Amino acid sequence: GAGVSQSPSNKVTEKGKDVELRCDPISGHTALYWYRQSLGQGLEFLIYFQGNSAPDKSGLPSDRFSAERTGGSVSTLTIQRTQQEDSAVYLCASSLTLTSETQYFGPGTRLLVL
Amino acid sequence: AQSVSQHNHHVILSEAASLELGCNYSYGGTVNLFWYVQYPGQHLQLLLKYFSGDPLVKGIKGFEAEFIKSKFSFNLRKPSVQWSDTAEYFCAVTAKYSGGGADGLTFGKGTHLIIQP
């Protein structure tokens, strides 16, 4: 596609439920990144993938967060047992390669945990 | 780890005024520097970037930024702003690893710019 796409664009869930957020990177981009944008914390980096591999998961806020990428393309960010503090906009970005390349951002998924 | 500081959280200017948004970063090694913009209701877009070479870089819509290594700064400038420049502006940095590879972007808190007609 022309740009990074994310789905759903909005998600409202109840506390304690699991949610899955999806990211489709720009075709041919091997690197993929997840960020979180919230009022209190600003823009936080969560995790990146080179191909299907995520070498460093230390940026994930808690063990309730996990991410995977299959086929070097689509990625899903899963939040288990959601909490109200998980409410934020989750942004995905991709770049052609991992090495010092410009990242292109998707529109984000706005998550609201009630 | 890197950190980024943006000096102004809110800036209000009149059209045709000159703009300078401050950005300082903290990191002991070589970095790549970026300014991103988020217009109301839209996603983050790249304004300009610095990887190496001429420290004065020009971006889209008349924006430019100057990398001053000795000051760890990468300030954004525009000589004459327009109402359509109203947006949130984010400075960001990644560490440049000599062996290849990179980390995620570290962002500043953002500057909310309002241009009054």
Side-chain angles (χ1 to χ4, degrees), chain A residues 31-45:
Chain A
L32 185 148
Y33 310 78
W34 283 99
Y35 295 84
R36 179 168 73 172
Q37 186 174 24
S38 58
L39 278 175
Q41 301 297 322
L43 274 155
E44 304 170 83
F45 166 66

Side-chain angles (χ1 to χ4, degrees), chain A residues 4 33 35 37 39-45 48 56 89 91 93 98-108, chain B residues 32 34 36 38 42-46 49 51 88 90 94-97 100-109:
Chain A
V4 178
Y33 310 78
Y35 295 84
Q37 186 174 24
L39 278 175
Q41 301 297 322
L43 274 155
E44 304 170 83
F45 166 66
Y48 76 86
D56 183 2
V89 178
L91 297 171
L98 191 62
T99 311
S100 305
E101 288 287 343
T102 302
Q103 296 178 27
Y104 297 89
F105 283 80
Chain B
N32 296 323
F34 306 81
Y36 280 85
Q38 190 168 29
Q42 297 187 27
H43 58 273
L44 277 167
Q45 301 174 36
L46 181 68
K49 62 187 178 185
F51 286 177
E88 189 90 18
F90 295 93
T94 62
K96 194 196 296 278
Y97 299 122
D103 211 331
L105 289 162
T106 298
F107 284 90
K109 294 291 189 186

Side-chain angles (χ1 to χ4, degrees), chain B residues 12-60:
Chain B
I12 301 175
L13 295 173
S14 298
E15 276 194 313
S18 65
L19 170 71
E20 180 160 2
L21 300 182
C23 172
N24 286 90
Y25 69 93
S26 174
Y27 183 67
T30 308
V31 295
N32 296 323
L33 295 154
F34 306 81
W35 277 96
Y36 280 85
V37 60
Q38 190 168 29
Y39 297 103
Q42 297 187 27
H43 58 273
L44 277 167
Q45 301 174 36
L46 181 68
L47 259 184
L48 47 78
K49 62 187 178 185
Y50 173 80
F51 286 177
S52 63
D54 188 345
L56 183 63
V57 292
K58 296 189 184 299
I60 60 171

Side-chain angles (χ1 to χ4, degrees), chain A residues 1-4 24-32 50-51 69 71-74 94-98 101 104:
Chain A
V4 178
D24 272 286
I26 293 172
S27 178
H29 280 196
T30 62
L32 185 148
Q50 173 60 28
R69 189 180 185 194
S73 182
V74 171
S94 70
S95 64
L96 190 59
T97 67
L98 191 62
E101 288 287 343
Y104 297 89

